[in-house]
């Protein structure tokens, strides 16, 4: 059973950058995409974009373009999401999720990484 | 972007009740829809893919239906462990938008 293991909680200052990692231990990156979804406190789910671990190709939500970069390191089966120029509105739980190409669902989800942006 | 609306936004029901949650898309999305269950403090869990395909391990009291713009998630006999927020998500076109969620609790 594939699991996604994310990095730990972070506290950032406004204007700083954050980077969250997402590892699939023991499972090579192949045949699927890693998407990123965030959830602000008490709010709903927001799709941010994806990285194709095999090709490195990306697709970002328009809202985050210019501020987000999604990458991967296939040698360690890990994906990364970097978000820059943080504001308090970026305080949220960030999830990485797997989507098998062509599958109409996100599964599994990482455990989530809480990022707090505060001065 | 395709917008998803859900109704109701919240509901209270008793053990054993039949619960129905609706999800409507702003344009036709065939059956390119998933449903998730999220319990407090947990990551969402995939319940249903392709509008009506029950995922392994999900109790059979959950079912999904619909195509085009109107979809439904039904719990035939509500159990205490079903208290959660339920989200629909469309996979028809990017960005992969989510509905705003329906919170289900026990009466």
């Amino acid at each position: 059973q594939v699991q996604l293991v994310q990095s730990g909680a972070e506290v950032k200052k406004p204007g700083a950058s954050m980077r969250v990692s997402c590892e699939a231990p023991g499972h090579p990156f192949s045949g699927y995409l890693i998407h990123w979804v965030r959830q602000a406190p008490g709010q709903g789910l927001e799709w941010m974009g994806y990285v194709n671990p095999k090709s490195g190709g990306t697709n970002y939500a328009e809202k985050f373009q210019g501020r987000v970069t999604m990458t991967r390191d296939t040698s360690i089966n890990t994906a990364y999401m970097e978000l820059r120029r943080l504001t308090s509105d970026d305080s949220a739980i960030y999830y990485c999720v797997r989507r098998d190409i062509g599958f109409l669902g996100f599964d599994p989800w990482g455990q989530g990484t809480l990022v707090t942006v505060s001065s | 972007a395709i917008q998803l609306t859900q109704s109701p936004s919240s509901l209270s029901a008793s053990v054993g009740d039949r619960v129905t949650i609706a999800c409507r898309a702003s344009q036709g999305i065939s059956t390119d829809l998933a449903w998730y269950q999220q319990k407090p403090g947990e990551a969402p869990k995939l319940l249903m893919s392709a509008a009506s395909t029950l995922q392994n391990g999900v109790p059979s009291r959950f079912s999904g239906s619909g195509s085009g713009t109107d979809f439904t998630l039904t719990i035939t006999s509500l159990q205490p462990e079903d208290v959660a927020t339920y989200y629909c998500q469309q996979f028809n076109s990017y960005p992969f938008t989510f509905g705003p969620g329906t919170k289900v609790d026990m009466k």
Side-chain angles (χ1 to χ4, degrees):
Chain A
Q1 184 74 354
V2 178
Q3 278 191 307
L4 298 177
V5 180
Q6 298 183 221
S7 49
E10 300 188 26
V11 179
K12 296 293 183 181
K13 300 281 190 191
S17 298
M18 57 172 272
R19 191 176 84 152
V20 179
S21 67
C22 172
E23 182 185 1
H27 288 84
F29 278 168
S30 178
Y32 59 89
L33 307 178
I34 294 291
H35 292 247
W36 291 88
V37 175
R38 76 177 187 178
Q39 185 171 37
Q43 302 301 307
L45 303 167
E46 181 175 30
W47 180 81
M48 298 180 69
Y50 73 75
V51 59
N52 183 325
K54 184 174 181 181
S55 68
T58 55
N59 185 351
Y60 304 139
E62 186 173 349
K63 174 177 180 177
F64 300 103
Q65 285 189 6
R67 206 162 66 92
V68 70
T69 302
M70 297 177 187
T71 57
R72 89 294 187 217
D73 185 336
T74 56
S75 68
I76 55 172
N77 297 338
T78 300
Y80 302 92
M81 188 280 294
E82 179 187 35
L83 189 63
R84 301 176 290 278
R85 302 190 299 277
L86 295 172
T87 72
S88 57
D89 289 342
D90 295 314
S91 294
I93 298 173
Y94 290 79
Y95 295 101
C96 65
V97 298
R98 165 178 162 156
R99 181 197 176 208
D100 288 355
I101 293 172
F103 183 61
L104 300 174
F106 281 171
D107 183 58
W109 292 61
Q111 83 275 19
T113 297
L114 176 63
V115 176
T116 303
V117 182
S118 174
S119 55
Chain B
I2 296 174
Q3 307 297 319
L4 296 179
T5 57
Q6 288 184 235
S7 59
S9 56
S10 65
L11 65 90
S12 291
S14 300
V15 172
D17 282 353
R18 181 184 183 93
V19 169
T20 299
I21 299 169
C23 176
R24 174 165 286 180
S26 59
Q27 63 190 70
I29 58 170
S30 185
T31 56
D32 300 341
L33 189 98
W35 287 98
Y36 301 90
Q37 175 192 64
Q38 186 179 32
K39 298 181 179 181
E42 297 183 6
K45 172 188 173 184
L46 179 65
L47 296 178
M48 209 78 59
S49 65
S52 61
T53 302
L54 195 68
Q55 297 306 292
N56 289 340
V58 176
S60 58
R61 63 181 178 273
F62 289 91
S63 65
S65 66
S67 67
T69 59
D70 293 299
F71 302 86
T72 300
L73 176 70
T74 300
I75 309 172
T76 53
S77 177
L78 188 70
Q79 300 302 304
E81 60 267 32
D82 301 334
V83 169
T85 299
Y86 294 84
Y87 295 93
C88 56
Q89 181 194 17
Q90 65 83 18
F91 285 88
N92 186 260
S93 64
Y94 289 107
F96 286 167
T97 43
F98 290 88
T102 295
K103 187 174 182 180
V104 175
D105 61 31
M106 301 300 294
K107 195 179 288 183

